[in-house]
Amino acid sequence: MKGLILAAGRGSRLLPISATRAKHAVPVAGVPIIARAVQALRAAGVNDIGIVTSPSSETDLRDATQHSGHLTFIRQYDPLGTGHAVLSARHFLEGSSALLYLGDNLFEDSLTPLITALRYADAVIGVKEVPNPQAYGVAVVKAGRLTRLVEKPRTPESNLAACGVFSFKPPLMDILEDLPHSTRGEIEFPQALTQLLVQGRQVRAVEFKGFWTDAGAPEDLLGANTHYLTLLQGRVDGRVERSTLTGPVVIEAGALVEDSVITGPVWIGPHAVVRGATLGPFVSVGAHARVDSARINSSLIDEFARVLHPTRPLTRSLIGRHALVTAPSDSGLQMVIGDRSVMRM
């Protein structure tokens, strides 16, 4: 079996964070989303992994997975949907069964059951019980078998969301080849599953019980950051001077923490500098970031960002790479706000 991660999407819901890089390269508790996807596949025993990228996202994704072992990068030149992305990888799959992972998803549960269930089916879909199924593609399941997929129904027949991970056998590729384009002008992978059902073939469903998010919007990303921070085991490889650390706190090599109070879970990345700050809980500070005289909780500060002497505490904040958050000048507030930005004053 081979693994295939789809990571060619633009990530418009995550703007402006995704304006200058692929959303799959954004870190969650210090680890890029795409690297966590690779980890999930390898933990399920799948080591031959392809990543479908766009021409503009490939460099970001290569950088984000540089410590993830051998990977095959496959370009999807036209954004024509998830089914088209899978077809772009046909040469890589070479007639093998595949474990398919939509690259902005994050799972707590093992993916191994999708491999096991494929022994008895033509394809397998991962599903998760959610409180708002009308916001998702809804899976109708009976006795462990998928009977129907409905995209964002007004009146859901089920509270099971299709959650971005599948396994399938080689004949599904032929179905994808024959699928017509949707009303959006795309080839939709879920429609291939529907076609399998029309042909009387079996699609099994594996229900996940643990944490899951598609991390496609800022609130989802912050929720994922919080979840993975709770899994930290405390470790101090950097320098700590005149500071108090409580709870699980990770300070990576090259980082410096001075005159600060850190309440875990908190992750401080390599070569970051934190001075005179009160951080936590649930804060990640990216590599080479700088935090001076700030009070921050439940936030994600990306690499090279600077948070310098803000006059108010920051909470549930998402601060992108190279961003600057600082106090007003004597002449008043200054704002440089890009498209899709959010500021609450």
Side-chain angles (χ1 to χ4, degrees):
M1 173 168 287
K2 295 189 176 184
L4 188 64
I5 301 172
L6 305 190
R10 288 187 55 206
S12 58
R13 290 191 299 142
L14 203 55
L15 288 169
I17 299 299
S18 60
T20 58
R21 66 172 156 177
K23 65 177 177 178
H24 313 86
V26 175
V28 170
V31 179
I33 293 171
I34 188 69
R36 291 191 182 276
V38 173
Q39 290 172 0
L41 293 180
R42 295 209 194 281
V46 178
N47 291 308
D48 194 356
I49 298 171
I51 299 178
V52 179
T53 76
S54 67
S56 62
S57 69
E58 183 174 336
T59 298
D60 289 335
L61 298 176
R62 285 184 181 273
D63 288 345
T65 55
Q66 59 183 309
H67 303 300
S68 298
H70 174 73
L71 300 165
T72 300
F73 289 85
I74 304 144
R75 287 191 178 183
Q76 181 188 16
Y77 287 94
D78 298 306
L80 297 178
T82 51
H84 181 266
V86 174
L87 287 172
S88 299
R90 188 161 200 166
H91 180 72
F92 165 75
L93 293 176
E94 293 181 324
S96 171
S97 295
L99 182 56
L100 175 65
Y101 191 116
L102 304 191
D104 53 2
N105 284 261
L106 293 165
F107 296 91
E108 179 179 9
D109 294 1
S110 168
L111 304 183
T112 304
L114 282 96
I115 299 173
T116 303
L118 191 62
R119 299 173 187 170
Y120 313 104
D122 298 285
V124 182
I125 182 173
V127 298
K128 178 79 165 68
E129 187 175 310
V130 295
N132 56 334
Q134 64 275 9
Y136 299 91
V138 169
V140 181
V141 177
K142 293 184 179 179
R145 297 185 180 185
L146 181 72
T147 63
R148 188 159 60 259
L149 274 174
V150 186
E151 181 64 21
K152 297 182 180 179
R154 291 185 178 181
T155 307
E157 299 178 56
S158 159
N159 61 355
L160 294 174
C163 56
V165 66
F166 313 85
S167 60
F168 61 89
K169 291 178 178 174
L172 188 70
M173 298 297 290
D174 295 328
I175 291 177
L176 281 173
E177 286 276 13
D178 294 334
L179 279 181
H181 287 68
S182 69
T183 55
R184 298 192 299 180
E186 298 181 350
I187 301 173
E188 313 276 3
F189 181 82
Q191 291 305 310
L193 301 183
T194 297
Q195 189 60 30
L196 276 176
L197 297 176
V198 168
Q199 295 178 3
R201 302 189 189 184
Q202 186 177 153
V203 180
R204 298 191 68 87
V206 169
E207 185 175 352
F208 294 108
K209 298 295 186 180
F211 174 84
W212 164 65
T213 184
D214 68 359
E219 281 301 312
D220 300 321
L221 190 62
L222 286 170
N225 196 57
T226 293
H227 170 76
Y228 283 101
L229 285 171
T230 64
L231 306 180
L232 288 181
Q233 300 290 323
R235 171 172 50 83
V236 176
D237 293 332
R239 289 169 52 201
V240 178
E241 299 180 1
R242 302 178 302 281
S243 298
T244 301
L245 277 56
T246 58
V249 175
V250 172
I251 301 175
E252 300 287 2
L256 171 63
V257 176
E258 291 182 337
D259 304 310
S260 296
V261 176
I262 314 295
T263 303
V266 167
W267 180 82
I268 299 174
H271 307 289
V273 176
V274 177
R275 288 192 174 99
T278 301
L279 300 186
F282 307 117
V283 175
S284 62
V285 179
H288 301 278
R290 180 180 166 192
V291 178
D292 283 2
S293 303
R295 291 172 290 164
I296 305 173
N297 69 79
S298 302
S299 297
L300 190 161
I301 301 165
D302 211 340
E303 58 188 24
F304 296 99
R306 292 174 294 157
V307 182
L308 310 177
H309 312 281
T311 57
R312 301 179 65 179
L314 302 180
T315 186
R316 298 204 62 75
S317 297
L318 183 56
I319 301 172
R321 291 186 302 179
H322 300 280
L324 170 64
V325 177
T326 191
S329 67
D330 292 340
S331 60
L333 296 175
Q334 179 197 26
M335 292 179 287
V336 181
I337 303 297
D339 294 352
R340 309 289 185 94
S341 296
V342 175
M343 175 172 283
R344 303 188 191 279
M345 300 177 60

